[in-house]
Amino acid sequence: MVKGTEGQQSPATPSQSPGDAASDPATGAQASAQASIDGLTGRYLVLLEPDKTREAERALKGSASITMDHVQAGDDTPIGARSIDEGRGLVFPALGVAVVHPSREQFSSFSSAVARSEDMIEMEPERFIYAIGQFDPAYLRGFRDAVNHLYDKFTEADERLGVIGGAAFANTDQLSWGLLATRVNSSGETGRGVRIAVLDTGIDLTHPDFQGRAVLAKSFVTDETYDDGNGHGTHCAGVACGPKQPRSLPRFGVAHDAELLVGKVLANSGRGTDSSILAGIQWALSEGAQVISMSLGGAVLASQNYSRVFQQVGERAIQQGTLIIAAAGNDSNRTRGKLEAVSHPANCPAIMAVGAVDRDLRIAPFSNAGINVNGGKVDIVAPGVDIVSTWPGTQQYKSIDGTSMATPHVAGIAALYAQRYPNLRGDALWARLLQQAQPLSAPARDVGAGLVQAPQ
Amino acid sequence: MDVGVNLAVKDGENFNDTVALARQSGLRVTQAFDTLGIASGRIDAEMLPSLRRLPGIIVEEDRAVGTFEA
């Protein structure tokens, strides 16, 4: 159960009564007969905010009379072998997770406490796990894809595109559809204190939406200044961190308070080389960027290996606490059944690959797919069709499509999480983005973990 | 004919020593980033095989990239 459903009884209600609790010999967990039939233990996993263990404990004790015990570092007793009495719970401080066993009477106050508390992110029922041999993520992805495929079949959805029934977003007087779909509008975060580097065709700093804003810009293109003679870079910068109140349009920028670094690594023609990108990444890291957004790349063949040079760069960046996010590429033509592989350098495992969806949360026809046996999966998707943002010159604004437009949505939202959780960087930031993504009824091959969502 | 290359010095190798070996193999270094373990440069295409044979190094030809506006 995700926060915000306060008081709602999920199907995973706890034991029917203390009297009908049964013990599962495989796990040692106490569970009701009903819970066992459902594959549920009757206990709940609660995801805690980092470093908020004590506060969460107090909330559970005060609101639901649930007493928590601690699992100390070095204690490796399997959780399944632990008996947790009703009315008690176990905290794993190192994991930021608690296992809680509320009684039937405590459940309502327990779920309300989780929903109300700032220190607990969400709860979900604990399930019995049965051995299926060695854990294989590919098997699980395949299983999920098969389920999604069946769902599409039975709901008569377009099999090729995969769509959540009825989900459609539109630009409003206040917000772009992209911000609505990713729930940026209801996030309290602004990106303040976080540095985002947009590596692209530069930026038009004379644009009214960037005038007066502190932007650090540098060109890595021979004989060209950071000024954007193309428009693509200004557009991407606008999506990642455009203003809260643009001059004449609804808000379209995600992290409007973030500190913006602009590295021009593509010429005004929109073209560039690996070496310019590497120089831009090095600069962004040296300037302390926590997030690097790269709406660029080059096509690869389905059998082609990823770049080991860029893989090393992605790994080193993560080690330094910086997340590199890149566009998956636009080479597919799904309306004709043509899928192309995730592009370079997004196909590197250490670089987050972003696909694009439209207003109906359908995968965009051009968005590349994770079909390369040598690596290169789509990690996440974001709005990338009919995306309005800043544009140089007298035109000022333009609506365009591309995984280029999806990428700065993810980068901006990464900055929101980085602001919310100051210790969440690199790998941990990557994991949080994927954990919080909204699952979509399309193959993981196309949408990865799903639609990026801002912190709430 | 010259080609542009990017090279990664693998973990555990001395960056400066390895780049120096690359120079001796004909690489004209245009940028070197110690913290990333990355260097770029240009080299005569005929000398590329010897550069690739250096230990502790990954060599890739510089490739063209572009925007992803559909």
Side-chain angles (χ1 to χ4, degrees):
Chain A
M1 184 181 77
V2 178
K3 287 186 69 162
T5 53
E6 181 177 347
Q8 176 183 336
Q9 292 276 336
S10 77
T13 50
S15 307
Q16 299 303 303
S17 71
D20 57 15
S23 178
D24 184 278
T27 66
Q30 296 293 315
S32 72
Q34 181 63 48
S36 294
I37 290 169
D38 290 342
L40 306 175
T41 68
R43 309 191 300 198
Y44 290 81
L45 306 179
V46 181
L47 182 61
L48 310 176
E49 291 285 1
D51 304 316
K52 294 291 184 181
T53 304
R54 294 290 179 192
E55 290 83 344
E57 278 184 57
R58 279 196 290 271
L60 290 172
K61 181 71 177 177
S63 302
S65 301
I66 291 172
T67 302
M68 305 298 289
D69 299 311
H70 275 240
V71 177
Q72 302 301 330
D75 182 350
D76 57 0
T77 307
I79 179 61
R82 296 175 187 274
S83 175
I84 304 175
D85 293 334
E86 280 193 344
R88 301 189 74 89
L90 269 180
V91 178
F92 295 77
L95 299 178
V97 171
V99 182
V100 179
H101 189 187
S103 68
R104 185 181 185 187
E105 292 74 20
Q106 287 173 315
F107 181 74
S108 180
S109 53
F110 163 61
S111 60
S112 296
V114 174
R116 281 200 310 268
S117 172
E118 298 273 320
D119 305 315
M120 291 179 274
I121 298 168
E122 61 182 290
M123 57 182 271
E124 63 178 70
E126 184 192 45
R127 295 170 178 81
F128 289 121
I129 303 296
Y130 301 98
I132 55 171
Q134 187 177 5
F135 177 72
D136 182 355
Y139 171 83
L140 295 177
R141 278 196 297 273
F143 185 77
R144 182 172 70 174
D145 290 354
V147 171
N148 287 338
H149 180 76
L150 286 173
Y151 175 87
D152 291 344
K153 283 281 190 191
F154 284 108
T155 56
E156 297 182 346
D158 184 329
E159 180 188 338
R160 278 178 292 100
L161 299 178
V163 59
I164 282 185
F169 294 91
N171 294 329
T172 69
D173 292 341
Q174 303 293 320
L175 295 157
S176 70
W177 80 264
L179 299 194
L180 288 166
T182 55
R183 298 204 296 162
V184 168
N185 55 312
S186 56
S187 176
E189 309 305 333
T190 63
R192 180 178 292 273
V194 180
R195 291 191 162 195
I196 302 179
V198 177
L199 304 184
D200 211 285
T201 61
I203 189 168
D204 176 12
L205 285 181
T206 67
H207 192 287
D209 286 350
F210 291 115
Q211 277 181 349
R213 183 156 178 177
V215 178
L216 187 60
K218 184 170 182 176
S219 176
F220 300 92
V221 176
T222 305
D223 298 329
E224 291 188 16
T225 69
Y226 61 72
D227 196 43
D228 184 7
N230 180 286
H232 187 271
T234 302
H235 197 279
C236 292
V239 172
C241 13
K244 187 176 183 181
Q245 292 182 312
R247 184 182 173 96
S248 60
L249 281 184
R251 179 183 164 195
F252 47 78
V254 176
H256 57 82
D257 269 346
E259 297 172 33
L260 176 58
L261 311 179
V262 173
K264 180 166 181 164
V265 298
L266 301 177
N268 292 332
S269 63
R271 306 298 298 170
T273 61
D274 279 346
S275 56
S276 296
I277 301 172
L278 293 169
I281 292 173
Q282 163 67 22
W283 171 74
L285 292 173
S286 69
E287 294 293 344
Q290 288 97 355
V291 180
I292 297 176
S293 183
M294 303 198 310
S295 295
L296 50 76
V300 300
L301 301 174
S303 58
Q304 195 173 338
N305 286 320
Y306 58 81
S307 162
R308 293 170 67 192
V309 170
F310 274 83
Q311 173 64 10
Q312 177 165 311
V313 168
E315 289 171 355
R316 296 275 176 102
I318 285 173
Q319 287 166 10
Q320 294 183 40
T322 301
L323 180 58
I324 302 178
I325 301 168
N330 301 344
D331 308 293
S332 296
N333 187 344
R334 292 166 182 270
T335 53
R336 295 187 178 182
K338 177 189 167 201
L339 292 183
E340 294 293 344
V342 171
S343 299
H344 160 80
N347 62 343
C348 293
I351 295 178
M352 179 175 282
V354 182
V357 294
D358 67 12
R359 295 166 184 261
D360 295 319
L361 305 187
R362 294 169 185 263
I363 187 72
F366 51 76
S367 191
N368 286 350
I371 58 173
N372 195 332
V373 295
N374 294 321
K377 60 189 178 67
V378 175
D379 293 299
I380 201 164
V381 292
V385 177
D386 298 331
I387 304 302
V388 69
S389 183
T390 41
W391 198 261
T394 54
Q395 186 171 357
Q396 294 200 344
Y397 300 100
K398 190 175 179 181
S399 177
I400 53 178
D401 307 337
T403 52
S404 277
M405 285 60 249
T407 301
H409 276 101
V410 177
I413 288 171
L416 303 186
Y417 281 103
Q419 177 192 9
R420 170 78 64 89
Y421 307 106
N423 294 323
L424 203 68
R425 297 289 184 267
D427 265 343
L429 181 56
W430 181 314
R432 183 61 63 96
L433 285 165
L434 267 53
Q435 285 166 2
Q436 298 299 317
Q438 175 190 330
L440 298 175
S441 64
R445 171 196 72 189
D446 295 330
V447 301
L451 179 65
V452 67
Q453 296 287 287
Q456 302 299 306
Chain B
M1 185 184 71
D2 271 1
V3 292
V5 296
N6 300 298
L7 58 88
V9 178
K10 295 178 182 175
D11 289 339
E13 302 288 338
N14 183 291
F15 181 76
N16 291 327
D17 290 351
T18 306
V19 171
L21 283 175
R23 287 183 199 272
Q24 290 170 17
S25 296
L27 180 69
R28 297 187 301 283
V29 176
T30 54
Q31 56 186 22
F33 307 125
D34 192 353
T35 53
L36 292 177
I38 300 292
S40 303
R42 298 194 68 80
I43 189 169
D44 189 304
E46 291 186 356
M47 302 177 78
L48 192 53
S50 61
L51 181 65
R52 291 188 192 280
R53 281 196 294 271
L54 287 179
I57 194 172
I58 298 162
V59 179
E60 295 177 356
E61 290 191 40
D62 207 16
R63 66 195 109 179
V65 291
T67 60
F68 280 140
E69 178 185 346

